[in-house]
C-alpha cells in the first residue's frame, strides 16, 4: 500500500473535536499538515485555546485512527506558531457548526450574531464565557432559544 | 543552560498557575452560573498558558525535570509569582479586582512579548494574548458594574481596592530576571507597560466611581521567592496528590 498525504488526511477526517462531534479536526483547523519523509509520517496539529482540554483527547483519537488502519510509523507534533485563529476554520466547518446549533465566528461584526435556530439577527450576549473556552453564550430575542457562539479568536 | 531565560519563563508561568488555581477555587461557588463558568474558563486559559511556559522551562534546564515537576514539586521559595495572585479570593468583588489588576498587566505584557527575540516565548505570547483580551474585558466590565452599582457592591469593591492596592505595582517592578531578559532582547521592558497599565487602571476605577487609596506603600518579594503566608496553603492543596502519590498520572 502506498501511503500518501491525501490518504492520511482522508483517514483523519473521522477524528472530530470531542466537544463538537460534527466537525473534523481538519474543518476546525486543528490539523495543520501531514508530512511524509522516508516513510515517516508527521501529523502536525495546533491547539485552539492554550488550555483546551480536548487536545489530549484529539491526540489519542489520531493515534487510534491511524493504528486501526495499520499505520504505525507516525508521530504527532504540536506547533504554536502561527497561532490558531478562527480563520483556520473551513467554510464547510462553519456550515456544519451552524447546522449543529452553534453560531459560527463572525469576524466582521461580533455584535451582530445570527441565531442558528431561526436565523434572526435580534440576539444578545448573555456571557462572554460559554460551555467551553472557545464559545460564548447568546440568546435569541425572537425564538427565545439560548445558543453557543464560537468566538472570534 | 540559560538560567535567566529559565527564571524569566518560570516567573510568568507561576503567575498563571497560581491565579488559575485561585480562580479554580470558585468552581461551583460563583454568584451565578454564567460567572462561575467565566471564572473557570479564565482559570483554564491561565493554566493552559502556565503549561506552555512550564513545558518550555523544562526544556531549557538540564536537570531533566518535567513540566509536572516544576508545578508540583517545587516549594514556596522557588515560586516566582507576584504576591497579588496568591491573595485569597475573598468575596466576588475582591476576586474581580485582583483579576482586573492582573489582566491589566497580562494583556499588554503578552502583546509586547510577541516581539521577543526568543521564538518560543513569542509564539506562546501570540497564543495567549488573544485570550487575555477577553479576560481584561470581562474583569474591567465587572469592576465598573460593581463600583457603579448598588451601595453594597460599591462598598465591597472599594474595600477590595483598599486591600489589594499595595499589591498592584509589584508586577511592573522589574526583578533581576526582568532586567536581564529585557537587556538580552527576549523579555519585555516593564517601563513600556507601566504607564499604559496605570492609565487604564485609573480610567476604569474612576468610571467605576472608586477612590484610589493614597498609600504609596508597595509589597514586593514574590518574584524573589519571598511570599505571603497564603502561598503555602495553595501549594498544599495543589501539590498534595503528587507529594502523596509520586508520579501519579491521569
Ligand atoms: Zn432564534
Amino acid at each position: 500500500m502506498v501511503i500518501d498525504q491525501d490518504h492520511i488526511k482522508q483517514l483523519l477526517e473521522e477524528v472530530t473535536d470531542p466537544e463538537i462531534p460534527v466537525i473534523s479536526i481538519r474543518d476546525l483547523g486543528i490539523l495543520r499538515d501531514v508530512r511524509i519523509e522516508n516513510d515517516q509520517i508527521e501529523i502536525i496539529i495546533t491547539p485552539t485555546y492554550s488550555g483546551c482540554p480536548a487536545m489530549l483527547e484529539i491526540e489519542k483519537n489520531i493515534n487510534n485512527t491511524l493504528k486501526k488502519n495499520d499505520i504505525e510509523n507516525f508521530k504527532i507534533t504540536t506547533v504554536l506558531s502561527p497561532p490558531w485563529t478562527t480563520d483556520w476554520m473551513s467554510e464547510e466547518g462553519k456550515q456544519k457548526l451552524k447546522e449543529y446549533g452553534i453560531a459560527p465566528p463572525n469576524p466582521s461584526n461580533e455584535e451582530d450574531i445570527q441565531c442558528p435556530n431561526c436565523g434572526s439577527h435580534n440576539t444578545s450576549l448573555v456571557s462572554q464565557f460559554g460551555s467551553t473556552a472557545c464559545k460564548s453564550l447568546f440568546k435569541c430575542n425572537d425564538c427565545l432559544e439560548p445558543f453557543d457562539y464560537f468566538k472570534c479568536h | 543552560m540559560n538560567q535567566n531565560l529559565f527564571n524569566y519563563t518560570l516567573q510568568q508561568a507561576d503567575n498563571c498557575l497560581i491565579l488559575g488555581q485561585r480562580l479554580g477555587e470558585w468552581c461551583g461557588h460563583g454568584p451565578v452560573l454564567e460567572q462561575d463558568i467565566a471564572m473557570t474558563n479564565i482559570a483554564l486559559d491561565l493554566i493552559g498558558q502556565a503549561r506552555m511556559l512550564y513545558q518550555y522551562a523544562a526544556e531549557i534546564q538540564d536537570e531533566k525535570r518535567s513540566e509536572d515537576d516544576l508545578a508540583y514539586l517545587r516549594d514556596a521559595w522557588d515560586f516566582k509569582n507576584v504576591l497579588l495572585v496568591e491573595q485569597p479570593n475573598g468575596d466576588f468583588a475582591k476576586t474581580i479586582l485582583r483579576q482586573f489588576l492582573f489582566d491589566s498587566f497580562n494583556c499588554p505584557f503578552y502583546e509586547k512579548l510577541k516581539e521577543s527575540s526568543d521564538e518560543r516565548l513569542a509564539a506562546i505570547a501570540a497564543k495567549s494574548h488573544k485570550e487575555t483580551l477577553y479576560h481584561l474585558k470581562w474583569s474591567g466590565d465587572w469592576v465598573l458594574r460593581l463600583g457603579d452599582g448598588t451601595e453594597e457592591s460599591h462598598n465591597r469593591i472599594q474595600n477590595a481596592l483598599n486591600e489589594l492596592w499595595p499589591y498592584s505595582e509589584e508586577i511592573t517592578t522589574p526583578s533581576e530576571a526582568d532586567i536581564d531578559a529585557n537587556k538580552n532582547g527576549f523579555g519585555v521592558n516593564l517601563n513600556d507597560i507601566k504607564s499604559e497599565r496605570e492609565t487604564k487602571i485609573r480610567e476604569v476605577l474612576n468610571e467605576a466611581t472608586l477612590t484610589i487609596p493614597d498609600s504609596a506603600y508597595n509589597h514586593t518579594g514574590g518574584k524573589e521567592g519571598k511570599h505571603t503566608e497564603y502561598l503555602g496553603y495553595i501549594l498544599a492543596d495543589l501539590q498534595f496528590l503528587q507529594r502523596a502519590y509520586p508520579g501519579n498520572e491521569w
Side-chain angles (χ1 to χ4, degrees):
Chain A
M1 183 178 65
V2 185
I3 292 173
D4 64 10
Q5 225 187 5
D6 290 340
H7 176 63
I8 303 283
K9 282 186 180 164
Q10 197 53 45
L11 293 177
L12 293 178
E13 270 306 297
E14 71 174 72
V15 180
T16 57
D17 183 329
E19 305 274 0
I20 318 166
V22 292
I23 183 167
S24 74
I25 55 170
R26 190 184 56 94
D27 280 333
L28 203 51
I30 289 178
L31 178 64
R32 199 155 271 184
D33 205 359
V34 174
R35 286 185 202 145
I36 303 178
E37 228 172 281
N38 306 325
D39 284 341
Q40 179 64 41
I41 304 165
E42 190 180 15
I43 314 290
I44 297 163
I45 56 174
T46 191
T48 51
Y49 282 69
S50 51
C52 180
M55 285 310 282
L56 217 73
E57 198 62 27
I58 287 170
E59 273 187 49
K60 243 194 276 172
N61 292 342
I62 293 175
N63 217 14
N64 292 343
T65 301
L66 294 180
K67 288 197 169 148
K68 198 171 70 186
N69 288 283
D70 298 320
I71 294 169
E72 299 277 349
N73 50 336
F74 65 89
K75 64 169 183 177
I76 302 171
T77 311
T78 303
V79 296
L80 293 177
S81 182
W84 181 87
T85 67
T86 30
D87 297 339
W88 289 84
M89 204 184 277
S90 70
E91 281 311 311
E92 208 186 332
K94 287 180 188 166
Q95 194 52 39
K96 283 184 196 162
L97 270 184
K98 198 172 160 188
E99 284 161 16
Y100 188 61
I102 299 171
N106 182 20
S108 58
N109 186 1
E110 282 212 284
E111 313 266 285
D112 176 24
I113 305 304
Q114 195 183 9
C115 169
N117 190 43
C118 73
S120 165
H121 286 263
N122 180 17
T123 59
S124 44
L125 176 73
V126 177
S127 171
Q128 276 169 48
F129 297 91
S131 56
T132 64
C134 52
K135 288 175 276 173
S136 48
L137 191 62
F138 272 73
K139 70 170 179 204
C140 176
N141 301 322
D142 284 336
C143 74
L144 303 180
E145 288 290 332
F147 64 90
D148 271 337
Y149 164 64
F150 205 110
K151 285 191 261 206
C152 284
H153 190 57
Chain B
M1 78 161 172
N2 185 338
Q3 185 71 43
N4 287 320
L5 179 59
F6 177 72
N7 286 344
Y8 189 69
T9 306
L10 270 190
Q11 191 174 285
Q12 177 63 6
D14 290 344
N15 279 337
C16 295
L17 178 71
I18 299 302
L19 188 56
Q21 176 75 7
R22 273 294 191 217
L23 284 174
E25 291 171 19
W26 273 103
C27 185
H29 302 279
V32 289
L33 185 61
E34 284 80 7
Q35 301 317 321
D36 193 295
I37 292 171
M39 286 187 280
T40 41
N41 262 285
I42 295 170
L44 201 59
D45 283 344
L46 290 174
I47 289 169
Q49 293 168 13
R51 281 197 63 190
M52 293 192 289
L53 292 161
Y54 283 133
Q55 281 162 5
Y56 185 39
E59 287 169 33
I60 299 168
Q61 43 91 52
D62 1 73
E63 292 159 58
K64 295 205 163 55
R65 283 189 289 178
S66 68
E67 56 168 314
D68 281 352
D69 293 342
L70 292 173
Y72 294 128
L73 299 177
R74 283 178 306 141
D75 216 330
W77 47 78
D78 297 320
F79 272 77
K80 301 173 195 309
N81 59 277
V82 292
L83 305 177
L84 174 72
V85 298
E86 67 199 41
Q87 296 309 301
N89 285 345
D91 55 13
F92 183 63
K94 188 170 169 191
T95 292
I96 289 296
L97 196 86
R98 185 186 62 198
Q99 193 63 34
F100 174 65
L101 293 178
F102 182 73
D103 293 339
S104 62
F105 165 81
N106 211 27
C107 191
F109 172 75
Y110 281 132
E111 192 174 18
K112 288 271 186 303
L113 192 64
K114 285 200 269 190
E115 294 152 27
S116 170
S117 61
D118 185 284
E119 270 178 35
R120 184 75 168 269
L121 285 183
I124 294 171
K127 183 97 210 116
S128 307
H129 176 242
K130 293 156 182 266
E131 297 167 357
T132 58
L133 288 167
Y134 281 103
H135 302 174
L136 180 58
K137 170 132 197 354
W138 177 80
S139 58
D141 282 355
W142 270 104
V143 169
L144 210 59
R145 195 182 292 191
L146 294 178
D148 196 17
T150 66
E151 197 187 332
E152 173 79 12
S153 72
H154 175 88
N155 289 341
R156 281 182 183 243
I157 197 154
Q158 181 65 54
N159 287 341
L161 178 59
N162 298 346
E163 228 179 295
L164 291 175
W165 189 246
Y167 294 98
S168 175
E169 255 193 53
E170 181 187 11
I171 207 159
T172 49
T173 308
S175 65
E176 223 175 283
D178 288 318
I179 293 168
D180 178 85
N182 181 232
K183 211 165 58 195
N184 288 298
F186 62 82
V188 171
N189 184 349
L190 291 181
N191 285 327
D192 289 350
I193 303 181
K194 198 177 152 72
S195 60
E196 185 195 334
R197 173 177 179 255
E198 277 171 11
T199 312
K200 168 88 184 165
I201 290 177
R202 280 175 196 277
E203 221 176 71
V204 172
L205 293 180
N206 278 336
E207 203 186 336
T209 71
L210 294 167
T211 312
I212 296 174
D214 15 280
S215 145
Y217 183 76
N218 284 302
H219 293 286
T220 53
K223 292 180 180 183
E224 281 78 37
K226 293 187 207 103
H227 291 279
T228 60
E229 67 190 276
Y230 303 114
L231 185 65
Y233 291 98
I234 298 175
L235 295 182
D237 216 9
L238 175 81
Q239 299 183 332
F240 167 77
L241 202 88
Q242 278 305 315
R243 302 265 187 201
Y245 306 96
N248 212 359
E249 286 179 30
W250 284 106

